[in-house]
Amino acid sequence: NELPHWVVKIISYPQVEKDGPIEQGVGPHTDTNFLTLILQDSMRGLQAYYEGEFIDIPTEFGTSVLVCNLGEQAQVWSRGYLLATPHRVLANTFSSTPRTSIPLFYNPV
């Protein structure tokens, strides 16, 4: 028997040149778990797939947004009623500043 659990992952993206070529931090994907939580601050780069295109997760200076991505478990358990959230990270959007993300992945079983 598997028990419900959280997984925390620390992801570090290196600095890139501000006017350099578009580089991908993490390609388009969905998470395999049920739910992912990540705190989005003013550091840009995180995008979600919405209505046929990738859009930036809103960022405002001095504020943070809690992003909740549904994973593949939610899609399977709901028989497709809930959809896993495709997302990606573009490295060139945070220019010469490194990015660190700490997502929490929830796995009910």
XYZ file of all heavy atoms in Angstrom:
865
model
N 0.824 -1.195 0.000
C 0.000 0.000 0.000
C 0.862 1.249 0.000
O 1.775 1.387 0.797
C -0.899 0.029 1.232
C -2.065 -0.918 1.120
O -2.461 -1.287 0.029
N -2.608 -1.319 2.246
N 0.522 2.154 -0.897
C 1.207 3.438 -0.913
C 0.414 4.428 -0.078
O -0.807 4.396 -0.057
C 1.337 3.955 -2.342
C 2.277 3.130 -3.182
C 2.512 3.762 -4.535
O 2.567 5.007 -4.616
O 2.631 3.015 -5.508
N 1.119 5.301 0.598
C 0.479 6.327 1.417
C 0.498 7.658 0.690
O 1.413 7.943 -0.092
C 1.210 6.452 2.749
C 1.195 5.211 3.645
C 2.060 5.459 4.870
C -0.230 4.881 4.060
N -0.505 8.511 0.933
C -0.467 9.860 0.358
C 0.801 10.580 0.804
O 1.267 10.400 1.937
C -1.699 10.538 0.953
C -2.580 9.430 1.406
C -1.674 8.295 1.765
N 1.379 11.377 -0.079
C 2.595 12.090 0.296
C 2.803 13.327 -0.574
O 2.250 13.452 -1.658
C 3.815 11.170 0.197
C 4.085 10.653 -1.187
N 3.390 9.604 -1.736
C 4.952 11.065 -2.134
C 3.824 9.382 -2.962
N 4.764 10.249 -3.237
N 3.582 14.253 -0.039
C 4.033 15.446 -0.747
C 5.484 15.231 -1.150
O 6.253 14.632 -0.409
C 3.974 16.672 0.162
C 2.597 17.159 0.446
C 1.822 16.827 1.522
C 1.823 18.050 -0.335
N 0.608 17.473 1.441
C 0.582 18.233 0.313
C 2.044 18.721 -1.532
C -0.411 19.053 -0.193
C 1.056 19.540 -2.036
C -0.154 19.703 -1.362
N 5.845 15.740 -2.305
C 7.233 15.746 -2.746
C 7.607 17.197 -2.993
O 6.877 17.925 -3.668
C 7.427 14.919 -4.041
C 8.847 15.061 -4.564
C 7.077 13.463 -3.803
N 8.721 17.633 -2.426
C 9.217 18.992 -2.637
C 10.470 18.890 -3.495
O 11.343 18.068 -3.237
C 9.560 19.681 -1.296
C 10.148 21.065 -1.541
C 8.334 19.760 -0.412
N 10.529 19.734 -4.512
C 11.673 19.701 -5.425
C 12.226 21.115 -5.543
O 11.463 22.065 -5.745
C 11.195 19.192 -6.786
C 12.268 19.000 -7.803
C 11.645 18.400 -9.075
C 12.681 18.167 -10.135
N 12.082 17.605 -11.354
N 13.519 21.274 -5.409
C 14.159 22.577 -5.600
C 14.783 22.581 -6.986
O 15.617 21.736 -7.300
C 15.217 22.855 -4.515
C 14.552 22.866 -3.139
C 15.933 24.169 -4.803
C 15.519 23.003 -1.987
N 14.348 23.535 -7.822
C 14.801 23.618 -9.203
C 15.533 24.941 -9.391
O 14.986 26.007 -9.106
C 13.617 23.535 -10.187
C 12.790 22.284 -9.910
C 14.123 23.554 -11.631
C 11.444 22.288 -10.595
N 16.750 24.871 -9.875
C 17.547 26.072 -10.109
C 17.782 26.223 -11.609
O 18.232 25.298 -12.272
C 18.881 25.961 -9.381
O 19.663 27.107 -9.633
N 17.458 27.404 -12.131
C 17.689 27.719 -13.533
C 18.840 28.720 -13.590
O 18.809 29.742 -12.912
C 16.445 28.334 -14.174
C 15.229 27.447 -14.089
C 14.328 27.569 -13.041
C 14.991 26.485 -15.059
C 13.202 26.760 -12.969
C 13.872 25.661 -14.991
C 12.989 25.814 -13.949
O 11.883 25.003 -13.876
N 19.857 28.475 -14.395
C 21.016 29.378 -14.434
C 20.702 30.705 -15.101
O 19.675 30.874 -15.751
C 22.033 28.584 -15.269
C 21.196 27.719 -16.146
C 19.986 27.367 -15.328
N 21.622 31.649 -14.943
C 21.491 32.948 -15.591
C 21.634 32.773 -17.103
O 22.353 31.902 -17.567
C 22.585 33.900 -15.112
C 22.468 34.271 -13.667
C 23.594 35.187 -13.228
O 24.568 35.365 -13.923
N 23.451 35.770 -12.051
N 20.932 33.615 -17.844
C 21.079 33.639 -19.300
C 21.227 35.084 -19.740
O 20.862 36.011 -19.013
C 19.867 32.992 -20.028
C 19.774 31.521 -19.715
C 18.578 33.684 -19.676
N 21.769 35.282 -20.925
C 21.934 36.636 -21.452
C 20.574 37.254 -21.752
O 19.713 36.605 -22.348
C 22.786 36.614 -22.713
C 24.216 36.160 -22.467
C 24.968 37.107 -21.554
O 24.772 38.333 -21.669
O 25.723 36.617 -20.700
N 20.390 38.502 -21.374
C 19.097 39.178 -21.559
C 18.667 39.209 -23.021
O 17.516 38.995 -23.349
C 19.148 40.586 -20.988
C 17.814 41.286 -21.052
C 17.848 42.617 -20.355
C 16.466 43.236 -20.366
N 16.415 44.468 -19.638
N 19.574 39.499 -23.926
C 19.233 39.596 -25.342
C 19.664 38.356 -26.119
O 19.743 38.385 -27.340
C 19.876 40.849 -25.953
C 19.323 42.115 -25.326
O 18.121 42.137 -25.011
O 20.096 43.067 -25.133
N 19.947 37.277 -25.419
C 20.374 36.047 -26.067
C 19.212 35.335 -26.736
O 18.069 35.794 -26.697
N 19.504 34.225 -27.369
C 18.438 33.469 -28.035
C 17.449 32.897 -27.018
O 17.768 32.730 -25.838
C 19.195 32.344 -28.748
C 20.447 32.181 -27.949
C 20.789 33.554 -27.428
N 16.249 32.618 -27.480
C 15.253 32.018 -26.604
C 15.726 30.623 -26.221
O 16.019 29.808 -27.085
C 13.872 31.948 -27.284
C 13.346 33.350 -27.541
C 12.886 31.144 -26.441
C 12.055 33.389 -28.317
N 15.860 30.392 -24.956
C 16.267 29.088 -24.465
C 15.173 28.554 -23.566
O 14.506 29.299 -22.872
C 17.573 29.185 -23.680
C 18.747 29.595 -24.540
C 20.029 29.593 -23.740
O 20.156 28.787 -22.804
O 20.899 30.405 -24.053
N 15.015 27.284 -23.586
C 13.966 26.652 -22.808
C 14.527 26.231 -21.453
O 15.555 25.580 -21.390
C 13.471 25.425 -23.548
C 12.149 24.976 -23.076
C 11.130 25.064 -24.180
O 11.370 25.595 -25.240
N 9.987 24.517 -23.923
N 13.843 26.609 -20.389
C 14.230 26.157 -19.067
C 13.739 24.738 -18.829
O 14.475 23.866 -18.439
N 12.465 24.504 -19.102
C 11.841 23.182 -19.036
C 10.796 23.141 -20.140
O 9.959 24.035 -20.231
C 11.159 22.932 -17.669
C 10.436 21.596 -17.660
C 12.164 22.992 -16.544
N 10.837 22.123 -20.966
C 9.905 22.014 -22.084
C 8.473 21.768 -21.634
O 8.207 21.486 -20.460
N 7.532 21.869 -22.551
C 6.117 21.639 -22.238
C 5.897 20.241 -21.668
O 6.412 19.266 -22.206
C 5.420 21.793 -23.590
C 6.362 22.590 -24.434
C 7.730 22.228 -23.960
N 5.138 20.179 -20.580
C 4.854 18.894 -19.946
C 3.659 19.023 -19.006
O 3.219 20.121 -18.696
C 6.075 18.384 -19.163
C 6.393 19.210 -17.959
N 7.015 20.457 -18.032
C 6.156 18.991 -16.644
C 7.151 20.945 -16.812
N 6.637 20.080 -15.944
N 3.152 17.887 -18.565
C 2.187 17.839 -17.471
C 2.825 17.030 -16.360
O 3.706 16.203 -16.602
C 0.855 17.184 -17.902
O 1.130 15.885 -18.425
C 0.141 18.020 -18.946
N 2.404 17.266 -15.135
C 2.935 16.526 -13.997
C 2.150 15.220 -13.829
O 0.960 15.167 -14.120
C 2.841 17.370 -12.718
C 3.681 18.642 -12.814
O 4.698 18.630 -13.532
O 3.316 19.641 -12.173
N 2.820 14.176 -13.362
C 2.173 12.870 -13.217
C 1.341 12.760 -11.947
O 0.493 11.885 -11.844
C 3.210 11.735 -13.216
O 4.126 11.951 -12.141
C 3.954 11.695 -14.534
N 1.557 13.626 -10.989
C 0.869 13.557 -9.703
C -0.553 14.112 -9.798
O -1.042 14.401 -10.879
C 1.673 14.327 -8.651
C 1.934 15.753 -9.102
O 2.591 15.987 -10.102
N 1.395 16.710 -8.380
N -1.221 14.289 -8.655
C -2.583 14.807 -8.605
C -2.634 16.331 -8.659
O -3.408 16.921 -9.391
C -3.281 14.301 -7.334
C -4.736 14.671 -7.258
C -5.681 13.921 -7.947
C -5.158 15.756 -6.514
C -7.028 14.262 -7.889
C -6.494 16.097 -6.452
C -7.433 15.348 -7.143
N -1.792 16.996 -7.850
C -1.821 18.452 -7.724
C -0.418 18.975 -7.483
O 0.342 18.386 -6.709
C -2.725 18.853 -6.549
C -2.857 20.331 -6.231
C -3.674 21.034 -7.322
C -3.507 20.536 -4.870
N -0.082 20.089 -8.142
C 1.196 20.760 -7.920
C 0.919 22.183 -7.465
O 0.090 22.878 -8.054
C 2.040 20.797 -9.211
O 2.273 19.470 -9.659
C 3.376 21.484 -8.967
N 1.598 22.613 -6.416
C 1.500 23.989 -5.922
C 2.865 24.650 -6.070
O 3.890 24.060 -5.723
C 1.090 24.015 -4.449
C -0.236 23.351 -4.099
C -0.445 23.379 -2.593
C -1.384 24.036 -4.814
N 2.859 25.869 -6.594
C 4.113 26.615 -6.718
C 3.821 28.100 -6.495
O 2.809 28.616 -6.985
C 4.800 26.373 -8.082
C 6.165 27.036 -8.100
C 3.937 26.793 -9.228
C 7.046 26.550 -9.221
N 4.658 28.761 -5.754
C 4.498 30.180 -5.492
C 5.205 30.964 -6.591
O 6.414 30.846 -6.767
C 5.080 30.542 -4.125
C 4.771 31.934 -3.619
C 3.274 32.126 -3.433
C 5.499 32.186 -2.305
N 4.439 31.720 -7.358
C 4.988 32.527 -8.448
C 5.159 33.955 -7.943
O 4.188 34.601 -7.576
C 4.051 32.484 -9.653
C 4.447 33.390 -10.790
C 5.769 32.991 -11.435
O 6.067 31.820 -11.571
N 6.556 33.966 -11.796
N 6.396 34.429 -7.939
C 6.646 35.813 -7.524
C 6.889 36.661 -8.767
O 6.428 36.331 -9.853
C 7.796 35.886 -6.520
C 9.088 35.320 -7.077
O 9.173 35.080 -8.301
O 10.025 35.121 -6.287
N 7.617 37.735 -8.648
C 7.832 38.642 -9.778
C 8.789 38.084 -10.824
O 8.957 38.675 -11.889
C 8.334 39.994 -9.272
O 9.557 39.828 -8.594
N 9.414 36.948 -10.568
C 10.323 36.327 -11.531
C 9.502 35.686 -12.649
O 8.695 34.804 -12.405
C 11.179 35.271 -10.828
C 12.181 34.599 -11.723
S 13.505 35.683 -12.287
C 14.330 36.035 -10.760
N 9.687 36.133 -13.866
C 8.912 35.632 -14.996
C 9.490 34.314 -15.509
O 10.554 33.896 -15.123
C 8.920 36.669 -16.112
C 8.248 37.957 -15.659
C 8.167 38.972 -16.759
N 7.334 38.429 -17.832
C 7.549 38.663 -19.111
N 8.546 39.413 -19.496
N 6.743 38.167 -20.022
N 8.746 33.680 -16.410
C 9.238 32.471 -17.057
C 8.247 31.325 -17.042
O 8.207 30.526 -17.974
N 7.437 31.224 -15.994
C 6.462 30.141 -15.899
C 5.279 30.449 -16.818
O 4.717 31.541 -16.769
C 5.986 29.978 -14.457
C 4.973 28.875 -14.180
C 5.530 27.503 -14.562
C 4.570 28.890 -12.716
N 4.931 29.481 -17.655
C 3.804 29.640 -18.581
C 2.896 28.422 -18.494
O 3.355 27.311 -18.263
C 4.292 29.783 -20.026
C 5.089 31.034 -20.281
C 5.434 31.181 -21.758
O 5.696 30.211 -22.446
N 5.426 32.415 -22.231
N 1.603 28.639 -18.707
C 0.607 27.564 -18.746
C -0.079 27.582 -20.104
O -0.221 28.636 -20.730
C -0.421 27.740 -17.636
N -0.504 26.418 -20.539
C -1.200 26.290 -21.823
C -2.667 26.602 -21.610
O -3.331 25.993 -20.777
C -1.019 24.870 -22.352
C -1.416 24.694 -23.788
C -0.607 25.181 -24.807
C -2.586 24.030 -24.124
C -0.950 25.009 -26.132
C -2.940 23.858 -25.450
C -2.128 24.349 -26.447
O -2.474 24.172 -27.756
N -3.161 27.568 -22.353
C -4.542 28.022 -22.184
C -5.114 28.415 -23.541
O -4.535 29.260 -24.233
C -4.584 29.210 -21.217
C -5.949 29.786 -20.989
C -6.892 29.090 -20.247
C -6.298 31.014 -21.525
C -8.162 29.625 -20.038
C -7.551 31.549 -21.322
C -8.482 30.843 -20.582
O -9.737 31.371 -20.380
N -6.225 27.816 -23.898
C -6.928 28.110 -25.142
C -6.002 28.119 -26.358
O -5.983 29.058 -27.159
C -7.705 29.424 -25.033
C -8.836 29.353 -24.022
C -9.729 30.584 -24.036
O -9.399 31.593 -24.696
O -10.780 30.522 -23.373
N -5.194 27.064 -26.479
C -4.380 26.877 -27.674
C -3.027 27.549 -27.708
O -2.339 27.488 -28.720
N -2.622 28.203 -26.610
C -1.311 28.846 -26.589
C -0.752 28.895 -25.177
O -1.495 28.799 -24.194
C -1.387 30.252 -27.173
C -2.237 31.213 -26.349
C -2.317 32.605 -26.972
O -1.327 33.076 -27.550
O -3.384 33.218 -26.857
N 0.568 29.036 -25.083
C 1.197 29.207 -23.777
C 1.128 30.676 -23.394
O 1.454 31.555 -24.197
C 2.652 28.730 -23.800
C 2.777 27.247 -23.671
C 2.906 26.452 -24.791
C 2.732 26.644 -22.425
C 3.001 25.079 -24.681
C 2.823 25.272 -22.301
C 2.955 24.483 -23.427
N 0.682 30.939 -22.161
C 0.581 32.317 -21.664
C 1.414 32.445 -20.391
O 1.597 31.482 -19.651
C -0.885 32.724 -21.379
C -1.516 31.811 -20.321
C -1.694 32.722 -22.678
C -2.847 32.304 -19.813
N 1.918 33.641 -20.147
C 2.690 33.903 -18.929
C 1.777 33.842 -17.714
O 0.658 34.355 -17.749
C 3.340 35.282 -18.981
C 4.440 35.374 -20.013
O 5.129 34.362 -20.255
O 4.623 36.475 -20.585
N 2.274 33.248 -16.639
C 1.578 33.331 -15.355
C 1.781 34.766 -14.871
O 2.906 35.261 -14.858
C 2.150 32.322 -14.336
C 2.004 30.891 -14.848
C 1.493 32.502 -12.973
C 0.575 30.440 -15.080
N 0.700 35.456 -14.511
C 0.837 36.873 -14.133
C 1.837 37.089 -13.003
O 1.881 36.322 -12.040
C -0.572 37.254 -13.671
C -1.476 36.243 -14.286
C -0.664 34.981 -14.407
N 2.650 38.113 -13.171
C 3.602 38.501 -12.134
C 3.482 40.004 -11.929
O 3.352 40.761 -12.883
C 5.058 38.169 -12.534
O 5.360 38.826 -13.755
C 5.257 36.685 -12.711
N 3.486 40.416 -10.716
C 3.456 41.827 -10.364
C 4.546 42.070 -9.339
O 4.729 41.265 -8.423
C 2.101 42.214 -9.766
C 0.931 42.041 -10.715
C 0.954 43.049 -11.850
O 1.498 44.152 -11.665
O 0.438 42.717 -12.920
N 5.257 43.155 -9.468
C 6.324 43.466 -8.523
C 5.758 43.566 -7.109
O 4.778 44.256 -6.871
C 7.015 44.781 -8.908
C 8.184 45.087 -8.037
C 9.362 44.370 -8.166
C 8.091 46.048 -7.063
C 10.444 44.639 -7.348
C 9.159 46.331 -6.237
C 10.345 45.616 -6.387
N 6.354 42.834 -6.206
C 5.957 42.895 -4.810
C 4.811 41.984 -4.426
O 4.373 42.004 -3.284
N 4.271 41.210 -5.360
C 3.180 40.297 -5.039
C 3.557 38.877 -5.445
O 4.451 38.665 -6.253
C 1.867 40.677 -5.752
O 2.061 40.541 -7.167
C 1.441 42.089 -5.422
N 2.852 37.920 -4.903
C 3.056 36.516 -5.244
C 1.703 35.884 -5.531
O 0.683 36.288 -4.985
C 3.723 35.771 -4.087
O 5.017 36.293 -3.853
N 1.709 34.870 -6.396
C 0.496 34.156 -6.777
C 0.735 32.678 -6.522
O 1.782 32.140 -6.891
C 0.182 34.382 -8.276
C -1.010 33.558 -8.708
C -0.035 35.847 -8.572
N -0.216 32.016 -5.880
C -0.107 30.574 -5.687
C -0.704 29.892 -6.916
O -1.891 30.027 -7.200
C -0.849 30.122 -4.422
C -0.729 28.634 -4.107
C 0.724 28.242 -3.850
C -1.598 28.280 -2.913
N 0.125 29.196 -7.654
C -0.294 28.506 -8.872
C -0.609 27.055 -8.509
O 0.178 26.384 -7.855
C 0.814 28.558 -9.948
C 0.396 27.800 -11.200
C 1.172 30.004 -10.276
N -1.789 26.597 -8.936
C -2.223 25.217 -8.697
C -2.382 24.524 -10.038
O -3.263 24.901 -10.816
C -3.555 25.193 -7.947
S -3.524 26.027 -6.370
N -1.522 23.568 -10.318
C -1.614 22.789 -11.548
C -2.198 21.425 -11.231
O -1.718 20.738 -10.324
C -0.231 22.569 -12.172
C 0.314 23.800 -12.845
O -0.419 24.697 -13.197
N 1.616 23.827 -13.023
N -3.209 21.031 -11.990
C -3.716 19.667 -11.873
C -2.785 18.744 -12.630
O -2.263 19.093 -13.688
C -5.127 19.564 -12.444
C -6.209 20.285 -11.655
C -7.537 20.178 -12.391
C -6.323 19.709 -10.250
N -2.595 17.548 -12.100
C -1.723 16.574 -12.733
C -2.505 15.461 -13.415
O -3.739 15.448 -13.438
N -1.767 14.523 -13.963
C -2.356 13.422 -14.715
C -3.240 12.525 -13.851
O -4.220 11.964 -14.346
C -1.252 12.626 -15.395
C -0.537 13.440 -16.458
C 0.736 12.795 -16.970
O 1.021 11.632 -16.622
O 1.462 13.475 -17.736
N -2.926 12.380 -12.555
C -3.790 11.586 -11.669
C -5.185 12.182 -11.598
O -6.181 11.464 -11.637
C -3.211 11.498 -10.259
C -2.154 10.460 -10.080
C -1.726 10.357 -8.622
O -2.216 11.069 -7.745
N -0.807 9.462 -8.357
N -5.282 13.509 -11.511
C -6.591 14.172 -11.452
C -7.369 13.927 -12.741
O -8.584 13.696 -12.712
C -6.421 15.673 -11.213
N -6.678 13.951 -13.866
C -7.334 13.725 -15.151
C -7.846 12.284 -15.265
O -8.980 12.055 -15.680
C -6.363 14.032 -16.298
C -7.006 13.915 -17.663
C -6.130 14.498 -18.753
O -5.399 15.465 -18.540
N -6.209 13.915 -19.939
N -7.030 11.320 -14.855
C -7.435 9.912 -14.929
C -8.577 9.627 -13.959
O -9.583 9.013 -14.333
C -6.232 8.984 -14.650
C -6.677 7.540 -14.465
C -5.213 9.078 -15.776
N -8.450 10.088 -12.721
C -9.475 9.795 -11.715
C -10.814 10.432 -12.049
O -11.860 9.921 -11.674
C -9.012 10.237 -10.346
C -7.936 9.374 -9.764
C -7.361 8.273 -10.334
C -7.297 9.535 -8.506
N -6.400 7.758 -9.523
C -6.333 8.510 -8.384
C -7.427 10.453 -7.483
C -5.532 8.374 -7.264
C -6.619 10.323 -6.370
C -5.701 9.286 -6.270
N -10.798 11.581 -12.738
C -12.052 12.251 -13.096
C -12.567 11.806 -14.469
O -13.534 12.359 -14.980
C -11.865 13.772 -13.083
O -11.048 14.175 -14.160
N -11.892 10.824 -15.045
C -12.245 10.304 -16.382
C -12.263 11.415 -17.428
O -13.135 11.472 -18.283
C -13.573 9.564 -16.339
C -13.541 8.357 -15.433
C -14.832 7.629 -15.451
N -14.727 6.487 -14.524
C -15.744 5.770 -14.149
N -16.951 6.022 -14.616
N -15.575 4.777 -13.315
N -11.291 12.317 -17.313
C -11.129 13.380 -18.292
C -11.929 14.638 -18.031
O -11.813 15.614 -18.775
N -12.722 14.655 -16.967
C -13.485 15.869 -16.635
C -12.529 16.997 -16.238
O -12.687 18.138 -16.644
C -14.489 15.586 -15.517
C -15.348 16.770 -15.180
C -16.401 17.144 -16.015
C -15.109 17.531 -14.044
C -17.190 18.245 -15.725
C -15.881 18.632 -13.740
C -16.921 18.978 -14.577
O -17.694 20.080 -14.295
N -11.537 16.677 -15.409
C -10.472 17.617 -15.059
C -9.285 17.310 -15.958
O -8.988 16.142 -16.222
C -10.063 17.454 -13.595
C -11.174 17.642 -12.560
C -10.669 17.274 -11.175
C -11.686 19.071 -12.593
N -8.611 18.327 -16.440
C -7.475 18.126 -17.339
C -6.164 18.497 -16.663
O -6.095 19.504 -15.942
C -7.647 18.969 -18.606
C -8.886 18.673 -19.449
C -8.954 19.624 -20.635
C -8.893 17.226 -19.913
N -5.143 17.687 -16.901
C -3.806 18.013 -16.417
C -3.360 19.308 -17.099
O -3.654 19.542 -18.272
C -2.840 16.875 -16.731
N -2.658 20.156 -16.361
C -2.258 21.471 -16.851
C -0.916 21.417 -17.569
O 0.116 21.240 -16.921
C -2.136 22.472 -15.675
O -3.327 22.430 -14.894
C -1.886 23.876 -16.173
N -0.884 21.581 -18.898
C 0.409 21.684 -19.583
C 1.079 23.007 -19.202
O 0.425 24.052 -19.140
C 0.039 21.678 -21.071
C -1.352 21.136 -21.132
C -1.993 21.569 -19.842
N 2.364 22.951 -18.925
C 3.098 24.158 -18.561
C 4.556 24.014 -18.966
O 5.002 22.924 -19.335
C 2.961 24.453 -17.055
C 3.356 23.312 -16.178
N 2.571 22.195 -16.004
C 4.468 23.109 -15.438
C 3.174 21.352 -15.185
N 4.330 21.883 -14.834
N 5.301 25.120 -18.907
C 6.725 25.134 -19.251
C 7.384 26.327 -18.569
O 6.699 27.199 -18.020
C 6.916 25.209 -20.764
C 6.489 26.546 -21.368
C 6.646 26.544 -22.865
N 6.263 27.846 -23.425
C 6.208 28.092 -24.713
N 6.497 27.145 -25.583
N 5.858 29.284 -25.137
N 8.719 26.365 -18.624
C 9.480 27.508 -18.113
C 10.421 27.972 -19.218
O 11.195 27.177 -19.750
C 10.303 27.139 -16.856
C 11.138 28.326 -16.402
C 9.392 26.672 -15.736
N 10.328 29.245 -19.584
C 11.223 29.820 -20.577
C 12.374 30.510 -19.865
O 12.168 31.400 -19.045
C 10.475 30.832 -21.462
C 9.371 30.255 -22.336
C 8.721 31.371 -23.150
C 9.903 29.169 -23.244
N 13.581 30.107 -20.182
C 14.762 30.624 -19.494
C 15.055 32.072 -19.839
O 15.508 32.831 -18.995
C 15.981 29.754 -19.817
N 14.793 32.515 -21.073
C 15.202 33.858 -21.467
C 14.365 34.952 -20.834
O 14.721 36.114 -20.886
C 15.177 34.004 -22.986
C 13.766 34.039 -23.538
O 12.889 33.320 -23.058
N 13.536 34.863 -24.531
N 13.226 34.633 -20.227
C 12.373 35.678 -19.668
C 12.857 36.202 -18.327
O 12.388 37.225 -17.863
C 10.921 35.188 -19.524
O 10.909 34.041 -18.691
C 10.319 34.852 -20.876
N 13.801 35.484 -17.687
C 14.308 36.033 -16.436
C 15.725 36.554 -16.597
O 16.434 36.792 -15.641
C 14.185 35.039 -15.267
C 14.627 33.635 -15.537
C 15.897 33.217 -15.238
C 13.735 32.723 -16.061
C 16.286 31.923 -15.464
C 14.110 31.417 -16.279
C 15.393 31.013 -15.991
N 16.126 36.787 -17.808
C 17.362 37.454 -18.207
C 18.571 37.032 -17.386
O 18.841 35.859 -17.243
C 17.163 38.969 -18.204
O 16.977 39.466 -16.908
N 19.282 37.993 -16.853
C 20.544 37.692 -16.188
C 20.367 37.320 -14.712
O 21.335 37.213 -13.985
C 21.491 38.884 -16.309
O 20.911 40.004 -15.677
N 19.145 37.128 -14.277
C 18.891 36.753 -12.898
C 18.573 35.254 -12.833
O 17.727 34.783 -13.579
C 17.688 37.532 -12.335
O 17.934 38.918 -12.504
C 17.460 37.222 -10.868
N 19.230 34.502 -11.980
C 18.888 33.083 -11.879
C 17.498 32.909 -11.265
O 17.024 33.772 -10.534
C 19.969 32.507 -10.969
C 20.495 33.669 -10.207
C 20.303 34.887 -11.069
N 16.861 31.813 -11.587
C 15.519 31.523 -11.076
C 15.602 30.272 -10.218
O 16.228 29.294 -10.596
C 14.558 31.307 -12.232
C 13.167 30.879 -11.829
C 12.336 30.492 -13.065
N 11.062 29.961 -12.644
C 9.947 30.663 -12.548
N 9.950 31.933 -12.872
N 8.833 30.107 -12.142
N 14.939 30.301 -9.074
C 14.816 29.123 -8.228
C 13.340 28.887 -7.960
O 12.623 29.803 -7.572
C 15.556 29.301 -6.885
O 16.934 29.556 -7.159
C 15.434 28.067 -6.026
N 12.880 27.670 -8.216
C 11.490 27.294 -7.971
C 11.455 26.162 -6.962
O 12.331 25.302 -6.961
C 10.819 26.821 -9.262
O 10.744 27.854 -10.193
N 10.411 26.167 -6.127
C 10.242 25.094 -5.142
C 8.802 24.597 -5.222
O 7.956 24.992 -4.435
C 10.593 25.574 -3.719
C 11.992 26.202 -3.706
C 10.508 24.412 -2.733
C 12.392 26.812 -2.396
N 8.503 23.735 -6.214
C 7.141 23.207 -6.325
C 6.885 22.103 -5.302
O 7.806 21.382 -4.898
C 7.092 22.659 -7.743
C 8.501 22.349 -8.084
C 9.352 23.316 -7.327
N 5.627 21.990 -4.893
C 5.175 20.906 -4.021
C 4.236 20.029 -4.834
O 3.261 20.520 -5.401
C 4.423 21.454 -2.803
C 5.280 22.147 -1.754
C 5.413 23.611 -2.078
C 4.655 21.969 -0.399
N 4.530 18.756 -4.908
C 3.734 17.812 -5.673
C 2.961 16.926 -4.714
O 3.562 16.289 -3.840
C 4.647 16.923 -6.541
C 5.521 17.696 -7.480
C 6.834 18.002 -7.140
C 5.041 18.125 -8.710
C 7.653 18.695 -8.020
C 5.853 18.831 -9.590
C 7.161 19.121 -9.246
N 1.629 16.888 -4.850
C 0.793 16.050 -3.976
C 0.409 14.770 -4.708
O -0.102 14.806 -5.827
C -0.463 16.788 -3.527
C -1.355 15.940 -2.665
C -0.891 15.441 -1.455
C -2.643 15.606 -3.064
C -1.701 14.647 -0.653
C -3.455 14.819 -2.267
C -2.969 14.335 -1.071
O -3.773 13.553 -0.277
N 0.673 13.652 -4.051
C 0.335 12.333 -4.564
C -0.570 11.648 -3.546
O -0.101 11.210 -2.500
C 1.614 11.507 -4.761
C 2.549 12.131 -5.776
O 2.327 12.010 -6.966
N 3.575 12.831 -5.293
N -1.887 11.555 -3.836
C -2.794 10.934 -2.859
C -2.507 9.470 -2.606
O -2.797 8.964 -1.543
C -4.172 11.108 -3.477
C -4.021 12.016 -4.616
C -2.592 12.058 -4.990
N -1.985 8.764 -3.611
C -1.590 7.337 -3.436
C -0.379 7.057 -4.276
O -0.044 7.757 -5.172
C -2.699 6.344 -3.819
C -3.817 6.385 -2.823
C -3.194 6.575 -5.215
